[in-house]
Amino acid sequence: MHFLKLILRNTLRHKLRTSLTVLGLVVAILAFGLLRTVVDAWYAGAEGASSARLVTRNAISLVFPLPINYQERIRRIQGVTAISHASWFGGVYVTPKNFFPQFAVDAKTYFNLYPEYLIPPADMKAFLTDRKGCVIGRKLANTYGFKIGDIIPLRGTIYPGAWSFTVRAIYDGAEAGTDTSQFFFHWDYLNETMKKAVARRIDWIGVYVIEISDPDRAAEISTEVDTMFRNSLAETLTETEKAFQLGFVSMTEAIVVAIRIVSFLVIFIILAVMANTMAMTARERIAEYATLKALGFGPYFLAGLIYGESLAIALAGAVIGILLTFPVADRFSEQVGTLFPVFGVSLETVYMQAAAAIAVGITAAILPAFRAARVPIVEGLRSIG
């Protein structure tokens, strides 16, 4: 108990220096946590993917469509339990900065493949009976203030024209990591409209979503699908939903790597600041350490004082920084809107923040503790007076 009191008194001896060091640690731990959360958000789609779902797209590129008549042929493959399709719409809501994912889907089958999208039965029925109806996620609704019955106008880019949809359902996520920033509407409505405008663009879809009975057969079924359409008008590439999502992440891998590097660079900088603080503290107390040695206290006791003080400062900064990470992350999520569909501080991030703070506290004390433990009594006492 006396040892802990001594550590506390040493920590508070220079209140301004300690406060500034803690403040620096708070900023560093907060920045580290936010940057790690951004990285997690980048991979959220892949982490939330189901192992029982496959995605089939055009083998050349995602921008090339697939014929709708592939659907029944894929359905007959052994191990396929359900199939649906989706097409990227790419409309603009008011201004291009208001981005959110929009998909034309097979309304009758698509949501059966995604049980994590929770939709009230009455709202789902209203959506199915309204050709111009749409289903939107809770985050999308909160971001733009959409409510059931609202009309959402979109300006088509891939599919030109002025489009309007009525919100018939708002879905929630079964888990915190479920993407609730998406917008879904009837593919039949899109196809019928294109039939009147550009007949050659009808009966094409973007991707097929396939549900399989055994995730262990994912590779086998994927190969069977692709073999079926080899040398056809539109060859396919089938992969797991996670691999499909990671394909998008790989396009921006350099950004993710840069964010990771910056996050650890922040910790390295605060380590240098912390090490300087502890070095100054040790130099100022050389005479005290010599006196303690003369009184019979051993080198481990002196090293313990320095390590204790360093860890106390580091942990104080860590606690405040971690506590601030949650409200700051929530505020950041509100500002970026649907840019990051899933943005939340994970338990792993909190552990990494705590571990980083402890590592800084221990590392910063190594040299000062070593010098204090080895200081000769005569040399230390010589500095008195």
Side-chain angles (χ1 to χ4, degrees):
M1 183 61 68
H2 292 294
F3 184 72
L4 294 177
K5 286 182 179 179
L6 190 55
I7 290 175
L8 181 61
R9 288 179 179 177
N10 283 341
T11 303
L12 298 177
R13 185 181 298 186
H14 294 282
K15 293 183 175 61
L16 179 60
R17 182 194 298 167
T18 300
S19 299
L20 292 176
T21 304
V22 170
L23 178 61
L25 279 160
V26 168
V27 173
I29 295 298
L30 175 60
F32 179 77
L34 286 177
L35 291 170
R36 298 303 305 181
T37 303
V38 169
V39 172
D40 290 344
W42 228 286
Y43 287 93
E47 294 301 322
S50 170
S51 60
R53 287 194 294 258
L54 305 178
V55 177
T56 298
R57 63 172 179 85
N58 193 295
I60 299 174
S61 171
L62 193 58
V63 301
F64 292 97
L66 294 172
I68 188 63
N69 58 20
Y70 281 13
Q71 180 163 319
E72 290 307 315
R73 296 175 64 183
I74 296 173
R75 192 191 304 274
R76 291 195 291 268
I77 294 176
Q78 185 178 3
V80 172
T81 56
I83 184 171
S84 190
H85 58 79
S87 301
W88 178 263
F89 184 66
V92 175
Y93 174 66
V94 185
T95 65
K97 71 176 184 178
N98 296 332
F99 170 81
F100 51 87
Q102 306 145 20
F103 297 96
V105 301
D106 182 359
K108 294 179 181 179
T109 60
Y110 188 80
F111 293 99
N112 294 332
L113 272 66
Y114 290 88
E116 62 265 36
Y117 297 163
L118 306 179
I119 306 174
D123 293 347
M124 189 65 194
K125 183 178 180 181
F127 166 65
L128 292 174
T129 56
D130 184 359
R131 192 168 67 100
K132 292 187 177 182
C134 67
V135 176
I136 64 175
R138 181 66 62 185
K139 183 170 185 177
L140 179 60
N142 293 340
T143 299
Y144 297 102
F146 297 143
K147 302 182 297 295
I148 299 291
D150 284 356
I151 305 297
I152 301 179
L154 295 177
R155 186 176 76 253
T157 53
I158 301 172
Y159 303 94
W163 303 73
S164 62
F165 304 92
T166 305
V167 178
R168 292 303 181 193
I170 298 176
Y171 74 88
D172 291 292
E175 299 177 357
T178 303
D179 183 357
T180 59
S181 68
Q182 302 178 86
F183 177 105
F184 302 102
F185 67 97
H186 292 266
W187 177 83
D188 289 339
Y189 171 51
L190 174 67
N191 200 47
E192 290 168 10
T193 305
M194 285 294 100
K195 186 180 296 185
K196 300 174 184 176
V198 189
R200 61 185 174 81
R201 297 186 65 180
I202 66 170
D203 295 338
W204 293 89
I205 59 93
V207 299
Y208 287 105
V209 181
I210 304 167
E211 184 180 72
I212 57 178
S213 57
D214 183 4
D216 293 334
R217 294 189 59 218
E220 178 188 341
I221 295 174
S222 297
T223 301
E224 190 170 348
V225 172
D226 295 339
T227 301
M228 179 181 292
F229 302 110
R230 187 171 296 160
N231 299 321
S232 64
L233 176 65
E235 295 188 353
T236 63
L237 173 63
T238 304
E239 55 195 346
T240 62
E241 188 178 49
K242 184 171 185 177
F244 179 75
Q245 294 287 351
L246 287 174
F248 289 100
V249 175
S250 65
M251 298 178 188
T252 55
E253 187 68 24
I255 298 175
V256 178
V257 171
I259 293 174
R260 281 179 170 152
I261 292 173
V262 171
S263 69
F264 287 107
L265 186 61
V266 168
I267 296 301
F268 178 78
I269 292 172
I270 197 60
L271 171 60
V273 173
M274 185 73 173
N276 182 63
T277 298
M278 295 312 300
M280 291 173 61
T281 298
R283 282 197 300 270
E284 292 172 355
R285 299 174 187 167
I286 287 295
E288 297 176 21
Y289 297 147
T291 303
L292 288 171
K293 272 192 169 184
L295 293 174
F297 292 96
Y300 290 111
F301 181 85
L302 301 180
L305 289 177
I306 296 174
Y307 274 111
E309 183 176 351
S310 183
L311 284 170
I313 295 173
L315 291 176
V319 170
I320 299 172
I322 291 172
L323 291 177
L324 287 176
T325 302
F326 292 92
V328 173
D330 290 340
R331 181 61 177 167
F332 181 82
S333 180
E334 292 174 3
Q335 293 301 311
V336 299
T338 56
L339 181 61
F340 288 116
V342 178
F343 194 87
V345 182
S346 66
L347 193 59
E348 182 183 355
T349 296
V350 173
Y351 288 152
M352 290 184 70
Q353 287 177 295
I358 293 172
V360 166
I362 293 174
T363 306
I366 291 176
L367 284 178
F370 180 75
R371 290 173 180 171
R374 298 194 63 181
V375 62
I377 296 175
V378 175
E379 183 179 330
L381 294 176
R382 190 179 298 158
S383 63
I384 299 176

